[in-house]
Amino acid sequence: MLGKYSFRTRVNRLFCAAASAILLSNTVMAVKRDDFKTSDDISFYLRHQEFSRTITPPEQPDGYEALPASPYNVVEDSVRLDGHTLAAVVQHKSVSVPLKVEVHFLKNGTIRVRAQEEEPHVARYDDTQRLVLRDEGCSQEYALAEDLEHTHEIVDGVRVHTVRYTDKKNAAFSVRITENPWTLTYLQNGVPVVELNGKGFFHLEHLRPKPDQETIDNDATGEWKDTFLTWTDYKDRGPESFGMDIRFVGFEHVYGIPEHATSLSLKTTDGSDEDGYTQPYRLWNLGVFEHELDDPLSLYGAIPFMAAHNTAATVGVFWLNASETLVDITRNKKKEEEEDSGSVTTHWVSETGVLDMFLMPGPTVSDLYSQYADLVEPTPLPQEFALGYHTCRWSYLDQEDVLTVSDKMHEHDIPYDVIWLDIDYTDGMRYFTWDYSKFPDPVAMQKQLAYDGHKLVTIIDPHVKSDPAYHIWKQGSESGYLIKSITNSNTNKSKASANYKAWCWPKESNWVDFLNPDAVSWYGEQYQFNKYPDSTKDLFIWNDMNEPAAFRMPECTVENAATHHGGWEHRNVHNLYGMLNHKATFQGLRARESPAKRPFVLSRSFFAGSQRYGAVWTGDNGASWSYLRVSVPMVLSNSIGGMHFSGADVGGFFGDPEPELLVRWYQLGIWYPFFRAHSHRYAKRREPWLFDEPYFSLIRNSVRERYRMLPYWYTLFREASLTGMPIVRPMWMEFPADQGLFAEEKVFMVGPSIMVAPAMDPDLTKPVSVRFPSHENWYNMHTHETHLGPSRRQFVVDLAQTLVYVRGGSVVPTRERQRKSSAFMKHDPFTLYVYVGRDGTSAGRLYVDDGESYGYENGSFIEREFSFTSGSLVSRPSARTVDSAQQREYLEQMSDVLVESVVFVGVQARRISSATITVNGNSTSNLPLDYGKRRTDTRFTIHDLSVPVGSDWEITLC
């Protein structure tokens, strides 16, 4: 079927079809959409589609729906509950290959479902769990045997097994398994929420002996041989794919499975909706330059996590597989005569590996992300500088250019933290080197930047220039640390010991094999100061092109049959590659100093688990209003998938934004967790001071706003590191009962307190629609104008205005002094904004540590909880604060860091005549009140508090 997906002929600029011309010319080349696969080119997916068509019953008269005729049944008397695992043998009616299905019950209510052959012909790839799960999968807390109850009964002639949690915390959760056909249903309070194989699409292609060469040569099904364009992909192991339908019962919206340039609420893929797709969402990491929009095409990252939400619950599925995966989505819409709210059915198909999935029951958003973090770990606390403003382009020309940009930032009073170097700083694209003709003294350059509180980031890609004189290539090749060539018996391309080669930026290249533990250690060692020449503690890393991108290859990536450590083909681990590159770099940076400092590493490619190692961005976007708009659902989808530290290239990578677009992008970009401006080498320079007024001042004001809000951002990252909760959130996460927000993707929350409604249209007369949810006050952050929810308002926003609102009931910490960088703010005082809720109360939190070390793990931090009620604002230590020698020492170090001012918003200022403060339970003193211009305003400020940030105090209003 042809749809919008099939007609894409608009360009993806750069690099695949004619790599040599791209590398040597000064023009941006166009790549046709046809260089990338559609589902019609993916044979294992087509086989599963054909299987599903044999399962789906024909339409019945009078609306009667026949049950799917799944051929997979549970073998009689094979079901056993042993400890925390329910095991069963499942078999296809006409295939005598028994499958082992295991259901593992975790302590937090999550269940894990695994399936493969009971006795596989050869081993399936099963190391994804070790590489992705927390502590290599060894620290999962499983339910105790005494907390599970197994019963079974005959229902309509079919045996049904039920396993219930009996402990108090999880008593609402149970799992029901039918034997004929085999299905699994997860229930909350007896109500189904997630169903497996309800449509009968479960199918596993069992491993089998290899046929003769004539059979392979004549294979038209793609089981043993695939073709795409001019390439042939031989499959030594034959067909081994599997698929499963997963139905979210009672849900109309599903989210996640990044990365795609599409809507927040995922669209259908069966052509049934006018704005839906006719192709599945594809999870297969690809370097698609200037990717298209409104498209389920694969992009740079793949996280097979999906969340579903309705007014009663939030649930999730994590499909733990790193091979090529496609996901179809259909909706069963609510019928007028039905009481339920419909459902969403998803069909997941993966090419290789073991079927391994986790069903997370929530039922709240925070429960879901706690369960997910238990599996894959949350985002760790980054260095504080990483939350500042990053300035980057491909490329700053030389050392003089870098220092000039830095000086100009200071001259124009624009704070920034990091300046970046793209590939041209290297000696001929040899990573871990410098082009000394451009950068004659890299150490002096870094020292000058550091003197002003700045860091340097250099790019290190995972491809290695094929050059026997290049020490990295020589060591990697001689030690066997590079991916090996295709060794499959159907080709005579190479010997098993030969390195896989293709083209990338250095022309002929090889790739580091991050599946090899020795290669990972060796690669990490290259970041040692004595091995990475002229690197310092203020230099950090950008891992780009790590999908991995390979020019002149199918879909611009490494071929499926290339060989990794252990003999595994690349097809098994492709989506892991970028994450493993990210991990190796992270570990290398952490090991280069003692005591260790928190690394900062940006990666273009990612998978579940990448959040442990640093930040990502949405890739090579364009300088247009449409790319500005799509950045919001893309960043939110990354957050839903657990990749919280993400952003988009502010201004757009390709092209030249008009000044109005650039201003709007900065106004939005300061609310991305990762805030970086970046542009292509052939784009015009766009440093802020190059623009006339009012554009320059508006951009600078936005950057300053980011720095003012750093205490709030850093506190949010601390919370995310402990709870797994997203930092930027779709509106439904904060207002789960408001159905009008379930598909909202233009407005979002930053933490629990700040709502951002960006202006994203070139027409300044076009109003921005803002829905103020909840029965609460909403305060404009800049004017403090109040709006009462629930309500909807239309705002015409001139270029100087932004629509940022603070939720009533919040206490928001800021730092008001503007400096060169965050490093110069470390001892600046804090200001607290108390936004009073409709019930007259407010609450908030502030987290402070040294911003760079791991001392916080031993208690070297300050975490304060603020509460305002009955006219008193109280600061007390959080429950996480434990008295210790390290904690007391840090308090002493921070004794000169003060809370300077408190701004009360939403109180009747005219009713407040005085205030007193009590510090550490001792002295009480009167405080002067600043009412501003009009005492009747609902705002006043208390200045010059001068109380140490780590002290206990109480302000009482009279």
Side-chain angles (χ1 to χ4, degrees):
M1 184 186 302
L2 293 178
K4 66 177 73 174
Y5 193 89
S6 303
F7 287 106
R8 297 182 191 99
T9 57
R10 199 168 67 83
V11 296
N12 291 295
R13 296 182 182 175
L14 287 175
F15 312 129
C16 241
S20 59
I22 292 165
L23 292 169
L24 299 175
S25 75
N26 288 331
T27 59
V28 177
M29 302 299 291
V31 179
K32 293 182 179 179
R33 178 57 185 80
D34 291 343
D35 288 333
F36 297 94
K37 293 180 180 180
T38 71
S39 62
D40 292 339
D41 302 306
I42 302 170
S43 62
F44 72 88
Y45 170 81
L46 296 176
R47 294 196 299 272
H48 280 268
Q49 288 296 294
E50 181 61 29
F51 174 82
S52 69
R53 283 191 284 272
T54 69
I55 299 304
T56 305
E59 292 186 10
Q60 301 294 314
D62 301 322
Y64 174 79
E65 295 184 4
L67 291 175
S70 172
Y72 286 91
N73 298 322
V74 175
V75 173
E76 189 175 358
D77 296 328
S78 68
V79 179
R80 296 286 185 274
L81 179 64
D82 184 6
H84 59 73
T85 302
L86 185 77
V89 178
V90 172
Q91 191 163 318
H92 190 288
K93 290 178 180 179
S94 59
V95 180
S96 58
V97 178
L99 308 178
K100 176 175 63 176
V101 176
E102 297 175 328
V103 183
H104 303 272
F105 294 83
L106 276 68
K107 188 175 181 179
N108 62 11
T110 297
I111 69 164
R112 182 181 191 179
V113 181
R114 285 172 56 85
Q116 62 177 316
E117 296 92 339
E118 193 171 36
E119 296 181 0
H121 174 68
V122 293
R124 287 177 174 264
Y125 183 77
D126 199 18
D127 253 6
T128 302
Q129 58 175 326
R130 179 181 63 81
L131 297 168
V132 172
L133 297 180
R134 178 193 290 267
D135 299 327
E136 299 187 345
C138 297
S139 63
Q140 304 301 318
E141 290 192 73
Y142 290 98
L144 300 174
E146 55 264 34
D147 290 336
L148 298 173
E149 176 188 73
H150 176 208
T151 60
H152 58 88
E153 58 183 331
I154 304 297
V155 178
D156 295 331
V158 177
R159 186 173 298 277
V160 178
H161 300 262
T162 302
V163 177
R164 295 181 177 86
Y165 283 90
T166 59
D167 61 302
K168 185 176 180 180
K169 179 181 179 181
N170 297 311
F173 304 145
S174 60
V175 172
R176 185 173 64 208
I177 297 175
T178 64
E179 289 195 358
N180 187 7
W182 173 71
T183 66
L184 183 150
T185 306
Y186 201 121
L187 303 96
Q188 293 183 10
N189 295 310
V191 178
V193 289
V194 182
E195 181 183 58
L196 306 185
N197 202 35
K199 296 196 57 91
F201 293 170
F202 168 72
H203 182 49
L204 187 146
E205 295 184 316
H206 64 87
L207 292 155
R208 61 202 71 182
K210 190 173 183 178
D212 59 58
Q213 191 61 45
E214 183 179 358
T215 301
I216 294 173
D217 291 340
N218 294 324
D219 177 23
T221 65
E223 292 182 332
W224 297 93
K225 182 188 70 173
D226 256 337
T227 57
F228 176 64
L229 301 179
T230 61
W231 290 280
T232 300
D233 175 20
Y234 288 100
K235 306 174 185 181
D236 253 10
R237 294 162 56 88
E240 52 178 321
S241 67
F242 52 86
M244 174 75 82
D245 59 276
I246 304 174
R247 180 179 176 230
F248 297 92
V249 185
F251 296 84
E252 293 185 35
H253 295 274
V254 291
Y255 314 87
I257 57 170
E259 180 180 45
H260 302 94
T262 183
S263 58
L264 180 69
S265 178
L266 299 175
K267 297 183 178 183
T268 57
T269 61
D270 61 352
S272 61
D273 291 334
E274 184 177 345
D275 67 340
Y277 302 128
T278 59
Q279 293 279 315
Y281 288 89
R282 188 179 179 207
L283 297 172
W284 184 247
N285 294 346
L286 294 173
V288 184
F289 301 90
E290 197 173 14
H291 56 78
E292 295 187 340
L293 307 177
D294 193 18
D295 196 324
L297 170 72
S298 300
L299 293 179
Y300 309 92
I303 300 181
F305 173 89
M306 181 179 284
H309 176 74
N310 62 21
T311 57
T314 308
V315 299
V317 169
F318 177 39
W319 179 273
L320 184 55
N321 189 277
S323 70
E324 183 171 10
T325 298
L326 297 102
V327 184
D328 273 301
I329 298 175
T330 58
R331 281 190 172 85
N332 305 102
K333 296 182 180 178
K334 178 181 177 180
K335 298 178 181 178
E336 291 185 5
E337 67 274 13
E338 294 178 344
E339 294 183 1
D340 67 68
S341 58
S343 64
V344 177
T345 298
T346 61
H347 184 197
W348 302 63
V349 182
S350 292
E351 184 181 16
T352 71
V354 172
L355 190 155
D356 194 354
M357 75 174 84
F358 295 84
L359 309 183
M360 289 156 280
T364 68
V365 172
S366 58
D367 289 334
L368 173 64
Y369 281 95
S370 175
Q371 291 154 4
Y372 189 39
D374 283 347
L375 298 178
V376 298
E377 299 183 35
T379 299
L381 193 61
Q383 287 208 38
E384 192 167 16
F385 81 79
L387 308 187
Y389 174 37
H390 300 246
T391 183
C392 180
R393 70 176 276 112
W394 176 26
S395 289
Y396 290 117
L397 302 176
D398 51 30
Q399 184 166 327
E400 181 182 4
D401 192 16
V402 168
L403 296 177
T404 298
V405 168
S406 187
D407 288 343
K408 285 288 187 181
M409 290 284 199
H410 304 153
E411 177 186 335
H412 291 88
D413 296 323
I414 304 170
Y416 89 98
D417 266 82
V418 190
I419 191 163
W420 294 54
L421 294 179
D422 212 315
I423 52 178
D424 298 316
Y425 81 94
T426 63
D427 176 13
M429 310 300 177
R430 298 170 181 86
Y431 302 109
F432 302 101
T433 70
W434 297 86
D435 182 344
Y436 290 109
S437 68
K438 299 176 183 176
F439 296 88
D441 195 342
V443 171
M445 177 179 66
Q446 291 167 72
K447 286 182 177 179
Q448 180 59 50
L449 292 171
Y451 178 81
D452 293 317
H454 307 307
K455 311 295 183 184
L456 180 71
V457 166
T458 59
I459 196 168
I460 303 283
D461 293 348
H463 52 260
V464 180
K465 183 180 178 69
S466 297
D467 177 1
Y470 175 32
H471 70 287
I472 297 293
W473 184 89
K474 189 172 187 296
Q475 293 171 21
S477 184
E478 291 177 352
S479 302
Y481 294 157
L482 307 178
I483 296 176
K484 300 305 176 188
S485 290
I486 299 169
T487 58
N488 131 8
S489 59
N490 294 284
T491 73
N492 295 312
K493 281 189 176 181
S494 58
K495 298 179 181 178
S497 60
N499 297 324
Y500 178 82
K501 62 183 179 182
W503 271 41
C504 206
W505 298 124
K507 300 185 181 177
E508 187 172 300
S509 303
N510 308 114
W511 278 259
V512 178
D513 183 1
F514 294 107
L515 252 68
N516 184 337
D518 293 334
V520 170
S521 298
W522 164 77
Y523 184 83
E525 289 170 1
Q526 305 313 307
Y527 292 102
Q528 295 290 319
F529 297 131
N530 62 347
K531 292 196 173 185
Y532 186 174
D534 298 313
S535 63
T536 73
K537 65 182 180 61
D538 296 301
L539 180 147
F540 296 87
I541 301 300
W542 171 16
N543 291 148
D544 198 9
M545 308 295 286
N546 55 348
E547 294 76 27
F551 306 150
R552 296 179 168 179
M553 289 293 112
E555 300 194 285
C556 300
T557 192
V558 168
E559 292 171 273
N560 282 343
T563 306
H564 286 267
H565 178 74
W568 294 105
E569 289 185 331
H570 184 72
R571 76 181 78 248
N572 294 282
V573 300
H574 175 83
N575 285 343
L576 287 172
Y577 188 86
M579 185 267 282
L580 296 178
N581 175 205
H582 205 177
K583 177 182 179 180
T585 302
F586 176 92
Q587 291 175 336
L589 292 185
R590 180 164 179 164
R592 70 181 179 174
E593 291 183 78
S594 182
K597 300 290 180 63
R598 297 173 233 169
F600 172 75
V601 188
L602 179 75
S603 175
R604 189 170 77 173
S605 182
F606 55 91
F607 190 69
S610 290
Q611 75 282 349
R612 301 190 290 254
Y613 310 118
V616 302
W617 86 108
T618 61
D620 296 336
N621 57 1
S624 72
W625 293 91
S626 56
Y627 280 99
L628 170 71
R629 287 188 286 269
V630 81
S631 73
V632 176
M634 289 184 74
V635 170
L636 291 176
S637 293
N638 283 349
S639 293
I640 289 169
M643 198 65 237
H644 301 332
F645 198 1
S646 73
D649 283 343
V650 171
F653 179 64
F654 289 101
D656 298 309
E658 62 263 38
E660 293 81 5
L661 172 59
L662 191 61
V663 168
R664 289 304 195 201
W665 215 319
Y666 269 92
Q667 290 171 344
L668 169 60
I670 65 170
W671 300 108
Y672 299 148
F674 175 58
F675 173 38
R676 182 183 74 154
H678 184 36
S679 60
H680 190 271
R681 68 191 309 173
Y682 303 125
K684 295 177 183 178
R685 296 290 288 253
R686 58 173 87 144
E687 286 79 15
W689 58 84
L690 298 177
F691 292 85
D692 295 332
E693 293 291 1
Y695 310 113
F696 162 69
S697 291
L698 295 177
I699 291 170
R700 180 175 63 183
N701 291 345
S702 293
V703 176
R704 287 177 168 182
E705 183 84 335
R706 174 67 170 216
Y707 280 83
R708 176 176 170 267
M709 298 302 299
L710 280 183
Y712 182 70
W713 279 107
Y714 198 59
T715 300
L716 290 179
F717 269 86
R718 164 68 168 180
E719 287 295 307
S721 73
L722 297 171
T723 66
M725 274 294 289
I727 294 163
V728 295
R729 305 167 184 175
M731 295 299 293
W732 60 261
M733 284 193 179
E734 285 298 318
F735 305 98
D738 191 339
Q739 296 184 58
L741 297 174
F742 288 0
E744 176 59 65
E745 63 180 20
K746 295 179 180 178
V747 180
F748 60 95
M749 297 293 293
V750 179
S753 300
I754 295 176
M755 179 173 70
V756 180
M760 299 184 290
D761 195 280
D763 183 358
L764 295 180
T765 66
K766 184 176 181 178
V768 177
S769 178
V770 180
R771 179 190 178 102
F772 296 98
S774 177
H775 191 67
E776 189 51 270
N777 300 330
W778 290 90
Y779 301 94
N780 184 294
M781 177 177 278
H782 304 112
T783 67
H784 296 147
E785 179 185 5
T786 306
H787 302 277
L788 304 181
S791 63
R792 182 177 289 278
R793 292 284 305 277
Q794 305 284 327
F795 299 91
V796 176
V797 186
D798 67 35
L799 200 59
Q801 290 179 294
T802 59
L803 301 178
V804 180
Y805 298 92
V806 184
R807 185 181 188 177
S810 304
V811 177
V812 177
T814 69
R815 271 178 161 150
E816 300 294 324
R817 287 164 172 72
Q818 289 296 322
R819 306 291 192 185
K820 289 181 178 180
S821 65
S822 64
F824 283 79
M825 300 171 66
K826 287 186 179 298
H827 288 271
D828 282 348
F830 293 93
T831 294
L832 302 179
Y833 284 79
V834 181
Y835 296 92
V836 179
R838 200 171 291 190
D839 63 358
T841 69
S842 301
R845 191 184 296 262
L846 170 64
Y847 175 81
V848 184
D849 62 22
D850 67 15
E852 59 181 27
S853 77
Y854 288 94
Y856 68 91
E857 294 179 345
N858 298 317
S860 294
F861 65 85
I862 292 170
E863 188 170 49
R864 307 299 298 180
E865 292 180 344
F866 307 110
S867 61
F868 177 72
T869 184
S870 302
S872 292
L873 175 65
V874 177
S875 172
R876 62 173 64 88
S878 74
R880 299 169 187 147
T881 304
V882 177
D883 184 43
S884 65
Q886 293 91 340
Q887 216 273 331
R888 290 191 295 273
E889 180 182 357
Y890 186 68
L891 279 174
E892 180 62 29
Q893 293 171 7
M894 298 291 286
S895 60
D896 64 337
V897 179
L898 308 176
V899 175
E900 180 180 53
S901 303
V902 178
V903 182
F904 289 89
V905 184
V907 297
Q908 292 298 319
R910 59 190 174 185
R911 298 181 181 178
I912 308 300
S913 59
S914 63
T916 61
I917 184 169
T918 303
V919 182
N920 292 328
N922 298 319
S923 61
T924 300
S925 57
N926 293 319
L927 299 169
L929 307 182
D930 179 0
Y931 296 99
K933 296 179 180 178
R934 293 182 301 162
R935 188 176 177 127
T936 56
D937 282 350
T938 59
R939 162 187 164 152
F940 66 88
T941 304
I942 300 175
H943 298 289
D944 303 322
L945 284 178
S946 298
V947 292
V949 68
S951 62
D952 296 344
W953 50 265
E954 180 176 358
I955 294 174
T956 303
L957 305 180
C958 304

